[in-house]
Amino acid sequence: MADVTQLIHDYLRHNKKFPHVFCAGCGHGIVLGSLIRSVHALGLPKDDVVLVAGIGCSGRMAVYVDFNTVHTTHGRALTFATGIKMANPKLKVICVMGDGDALSIGGNHLIHAARRNIGVTALILNNHIYGMTGGQCSSATPQGDISMTTPFGSLEKSFDIMDMCKAAGASYVARGTSFHAIQMDRLISSAIMHPGFSVVEVFSPCPTQYGRKNKFRNAVDMYKWLKSNTVKVETLKDPDQKPADGRIPIGVFRDVEEPGLEERYFELQRKLMGQNR
Amino acid sequence: MAVQRKKRKRRELFALGNEAVAEGALLAGCSFYAGYPITPSTEIMEVMANRLPLIEDGVFIQMEDEIASMGATIGASLAGRKAMTATSGPGFALMQEHIGYACMVEAPLVVVNVMRGGPSTGLPTSPAQADVQMARWGTHGDHPIIVLSASNVQECLEMTVTAFNFAEKYRTPVILLLDEVTAHTREKITVPDPDEVEILSRVEPTVPPEWFKPYADTARGVPAMAPIGSGYRTHVTGLTHDVMGYPTQRPDEVKDAMLRLFRKIDQYYGDIQMSDEYMLDDAEVAVVAYGSVARSAHLAVEQARERGAKAGLLTLKTLFPFPRPAVEKLTHRCHTVVVPEMNMGQMSREVKRVNNGRTKVRTINRVDGQIITPSEILKAIL
Ligand SMILES: Cc1ncc(C[n+]2csc(CCOP(=O)(O)OP(=O)(O)O)c2C)c(N)n1
Ligand code: SF4
């Protein structure tokens, strides 16, 4: 425990912007911890890491951590990240977004970042709700669930982020949960070191806005649910088939080595400039 | 050692206004372009697509829309690049949230808007000057902004260089407003040798990272800017922030931050506002025009003089901050100010504000996708 505290002190802007905004029981803090452990374990210099965040509770993560941090606009974090990565491909660019951020307002940018296979890591903190604005439904709210804007139950299907990102061309696609913190460290580390576009979706409980309105009595209930309602994708006979018992597969859904857009672009540029000499 | 006199390498081109913009950008050191095609601005993007991959570290990327283009442009600017995007009305509308963000985080960059007829998809291939007030007030929130224009192809090149210089000097987005006529006119231009042109770049911090205050007030009001990845780990946010870049709601810090944004532009008003005077010394009727309309006005003034009318022309190159002193001068000397423009009065509104009832303000407005002819202006002068 002492080690963890030490690590946190090395990476957080602890003297600046605390207390933080996250509610007790919120999964977002666990993801932040995992991100810090991953960067630390990989031995990346803080100066080389850029954390680009959208707007939402998840977006607030950027202010706390001592990397280069950019808190952007709602839904557009990936567009800023694309500019930063193309401007300086040496940087490790990590984008943190909520489900509203990444899928609703920013859905178009997500599929295009995947299509380009830009060398950016997208962390999608899926709490199935708009946390910061007070619990309205997002495009990841499960059908039938209650939110401030779906008081009679949501009629719309939610996106499956894994399917969508695979289909759009992301070369690393994985899902974890805030309950499975050790697995999450692995997923995030691999994603950061992955050359092309990498997506890690994390089920991150929002007890305040989502849990309360749906079947959960408290935060502990939500974590217990994550434990018993998920299944490691490796253990499935057919990873492309959704388990019949309704459990949600977690783990790595795709991992193919493909150069990122920036690699391909600068390769082309070297060729063109060679010819021009 | 004898000083080697370098031979100036000027180039002559027969170029479109849009091509001249791209030339100007490259001359100014632009090494990043992100955009989305839209008539009548597309040639800017096409030239950049051809040229940037051929220069060291030059980056060109076609994004999925204008929101993304502007996001990427800001990202590149934060990472230390001189960055530009170009668009037309509908795309400019989509960019507004991010233009505000760029103002707030003080990201130097250039946005070119080649105006077309509107509202909405309007008249995609017809000239208009209908985005003047959008360029000034399109974003949410209160902030100053620099808006420039050009009335011929050579000026397209020169004003693009100026736009980059202002962006870097004042750490702000700069908008270059062109109309379709200027953008699609082909004229002979001279691209100067890079050594002949003054090119400014943002000031980077010299203090050690632990001492660096990324939004510190300075005498100029413009803080030093550290590119992402240079060892100065800072927080950039669209939220109102303190001098360290962290969000704040403390009224004194909010006020300081907001007032500095205004002050850094206001106090350099004299440097920023640019206009050309033609035959104004003894003028009794002054035409105030910008963009391609200024060329019609130029001919109209010549014709008026031939007929003995004491007419003159003020061509606005800076639209905002509005060149008040230049216009105010006219309102003391002339009995009439004529403002021709391809909209229903977006700039004459500013002229009337400054005029304060001292002279007649005669407006000529066209919103039918047609240019304003010299004879229309001549009629208003006589
Ligand atoms: C253009 C725009 N539209 C709407 C908002 C308001 N808004 C702020 S956060 C948010 C949703 C946040 O939800 P999510 O992205 O899922 O993140 P969470 O707070 O749940 O972590 C919205 C709609 C905004 N800031 N900007
Ligand atoms: S509202 Fe929800 S997402 Fe936001 S901090 Fe609280 S628990 Fe977390």
Side-chain angles (χ1 to χ4, degrees), chain B residues 166 170 265-275 318 321 325:
Chain B
F166 283 170
Y170 301 114
I265 306 289
D266 286 351
Q267 74 182 357
Y268 291 98
Y269 193 73
D271 177 38
I272 297 167
Q273 57 135 327
M274 295 180 299
S275 54
T318 303

Side-chain angles (χ1 to χ4, degrees), chain B residues 272-286:
Chain B
I272 297 167
Q273 57 135 327
M274 295 180 299
S275 54
D276 281 342
E277 297 196 354
Y278 175 64
M279 297 206 151
L280 277 174
D281 283 345
D282 62 340
E284 289 164 3
V285 182

Side-chain angles (χ1 to χ4, degrees), chain A residues 117-128:
Chain A
N117 201 33
I118 180 95
V120 165
T121 297
L123 292 185
I124 305 176
L125 276 52
N126 186 357
N127 56 12
H128 303 106

Side-chain angles (χ1 to χ4, degrees), chain A residues 7 10-11 35-44:
Chain A
L7 196 57
D10 279 350
Y11 283 89
L35 175 64
I36 289 174
R37 285 192 299 275
S38 304
V39 169
H40 183 75
L42 293 169
L44 300 174

Side-chain angles (χ1 to χ4, degrees), chain A residues 21-23 26 28 57 127 131-132 205-209:
Chain A
V21 297
F22 301 140
C23 309
C26 178
H28 290 6
C57 297
N127 56 12
M132 180 150 274
C206 170
T208 309
Q209 302 295 358

Side-chain angles (χ1 to χ4, degrees), chain A residues 22 26 28 54-60 72-76 97-105 125-140 204 206 209, chain B residues 97 140:
Chain A
F22 301 140
C26 178
H28 290 6
I55 297 286
C57 297
S58 46
R60 289 303 176 101
T72 66
T73 48
H74 188 38
R76 319 298 179 189
M97 297 168 285
D99 46 310
D101 242 354
L103 303 173
S104 301
I105 189 166
L125 276 52
N126 186 357
N127 56 12
H128 303 106
I129 203 91
Y130 285 5
M132 180 150 274
T133 40
Q136 301 80 14
C137 89
S138 88
S139 26
S204 178
C206 170
Q209 302 295 358
Chain B
E97 184 191 11
H140 62 285

